[in-house]
C-alpha cells in the first residue's frame, strides 16, 4: 500500500510504502478471509483454523457487537495471523480498531475524513472504491492499492479488466459476492492482487465449531494463486 501517514495535505506522498512487512498486503495470499463473528468464543478457533489451512491473514468485520472483542482475542492469542479490521466506515471506528489490535484496516468506501483517520494510525489500509471517479480520487490522494466493493454488484471482473488500460497503476482487492467458483476470474487480472471472500468461514461451520472444515476451505484457496 503506497501511502504515507501524513494527513496535513489533501494529497499523500507516495515516497513511503506502507506495507505489511516485506510485501504488499495484496501479495500475501490469494484470498483474504472476510469474517463476521457474533460470539467472541469463536474468534480464536477461527483464526487458528485459517492459519492451519495456510492462510495467516484475516479481515474481521465490524458488523456485530462482538467484533472488537473478537479482534482483541485474536490479537492476544494468535500472533501469527495478520489481523485486519474491515467494514470501517467512520473515524471513531478507526481508533477503536487500532486500540483493539488491528494490523491493517479496510473500508468499503472512502471519505476525506475516513482516509485521514486511517492514515493517522500509520497502519496499512485499503480504502474502498466502486466507480472510476472514486478510483481516480484515491489515486490523487496517493493510493495505488484499493478495495473494490461491492465487486459483483459493481461490474465484477469485466469492470476491473476495463480499468487496466486507463489506470494501470491501480491494484485491487475486490470483495463482495465473490465465491470459490468466481475468484479465479478476478485473480487472473493483472490489476488484481487478491480477493476478499466470506466463503472460507461459512456461518454454519462457525456456529457448529467445524474448524476442520474452515481449515480445508482455507487450504483450497492457497491453490488459487
Amino acid at each position: 500500500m503506497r501511502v504515507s501517514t501524513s494527513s496535513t495535505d489533501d494529497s499523500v506522498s507516495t515516497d513511503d510504502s506502507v506495507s505489511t512487512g516485506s510485501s504488499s498486503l495484496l501479495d500475501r495470499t490469494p484470498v483474504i478471509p472476510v469474517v463476521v463473528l457474533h460470539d467472541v468464543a469463536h474468534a480464536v478457533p477461527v483464526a487458528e483454523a485459517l492459519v492451519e489451512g495456510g492462510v495467516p491473514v484475516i479481515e474481521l468485520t465490524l458488523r456485530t457487537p462482538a467484533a472488537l472483542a473478537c479482534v482483541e482475542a485474536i490479537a492476544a492469542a494468535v500472533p501469527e495471523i495478520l489481523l485486519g479490521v474491515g467494514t470501517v466506515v467512520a473515524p471513531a471506528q478507526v481508533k477503536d480498531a487500532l486500540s483493539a489490535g488491528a494490523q491493517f484496516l479496510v473500508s468499503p468506501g472512502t471519505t476525506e475524513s475516513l482516509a485521514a483517520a486511517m492514515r493517522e494510525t500509520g497502519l496499512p489500509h485499503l480504502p474502498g472504491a466502486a466507480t472510476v471517479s472514486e478510483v481516480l480520487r484515491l489515486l490523487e490522494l496517493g493510493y495505488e492499492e484499493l478495495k473494490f466493493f461491492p465487486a459483483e454488484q459493481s461490474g465484477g471482473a469485466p469492470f476491473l479488466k476495463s480499468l487496466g488500460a486507463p489506470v494501470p497503476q491501480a491494484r485491487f482487492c475486490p470483495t463482495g459476492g465473490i465465491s470459490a467458483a468466481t475468484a479465479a476470474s478476478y485473480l487472473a487480472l493483472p490489476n488484481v492482487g487478491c480477493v476478499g471472500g466470506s466463503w472460507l468461514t461459512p456461518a454454519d461451520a462457525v456456529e457448529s465449531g467445524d474448524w476442520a472444515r474452515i481449515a480445508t476451505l482455507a487450504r483450497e484457496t492457497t491453490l488459487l494463486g
Side-chain angles (χ1 to χ4, degrees):
M1 242 161 286
R2 295 185 57 79
V3 37
S4 77
T5 57
S6 170
S7 60
T8 58
D9 197 305
D10 286 341
S11 63
V12 181
S13 170
T14 58
D15 292 338
D16 299 324
S17 178
V18 177
S19 62
T20 52
S22 61
S23 64
S24 159
L25 176 62
L26 269 61
D27 299 321
R28 297 294 288 258
T29 182
V31 181
I32 295 178
V34 179
V35 182
V36 179
L37 294 177
H38 297 271
D39 188 339
V40 69
H42 296 151
V44 170
V46 164
E48 291 176 337
L50 292 172
V51 172
E52 180 184 343
V55 182
V57 181
I58 186 172
E59 179 192 330
L60 189 59
T61 64
L62 297 180
R63 299 182 187 179
T64 71
L68 287 172
C70 290
V71 174
E72 292 174 349
I74 293 171
V78 195
E80 61 269 38
I81 202 165
L82 182 62
L83 177 54
V85 172
T87 320
V88 177
V89 299
Q93 291 181 321
V94 172
K95 295 179 180 179
D96 290 341
L98 179 63
S99 297
Q103 294 173 290
F104 69 91
L105 305 168
V106 185
S107 65
T110 314
T111 65
E112 299 292 330
S113 61
L114 182 57
M118 290 193 292
R119 290 197 300 270
E120 287 172 0
T121 67
L123 295 178
H125 52 282
L126 287 173
T131 69
V132 177
S133 294
E134 291 171 357
V135 170
L136 293 178
R137 178 55 180 152
L138 288 170
L139 287 172
E140 288 178 354
L141 289 174
Y143 293 98
E144 294 180 356
E145 298 186 351
L146 319 173
K147 174 173 178 170
F148 175 54
F149 177 85
E152 285 290 285
Q153 297 85 345
S154 299
F159 177 86
L160 288 178
K161 183 178 180 180
S162 71
L163 285 183
V167 284
Q169 67 272 45
R171 296 180 72 221
F172 298 91
C173 173
T175 303
I178 299 174
S179 67
T182 59
S185 64
Y186 286 91
L187 293 168
L189 299 175
N191 60 347
V192 171
C194 64
V195 301
S198 60
W199 77 88
L200 286 77
T201 56
D204 60 338
V206 173
E207 290 301 318
S208 65
D210 192 350
W211 316 127
R213 180 183 171 196
I214 291 173
T216 296
L217 291 170
R219 194 171 294 113
E220 290 171 353
T221 69
T222 66
L223 304 176
L224 292 172

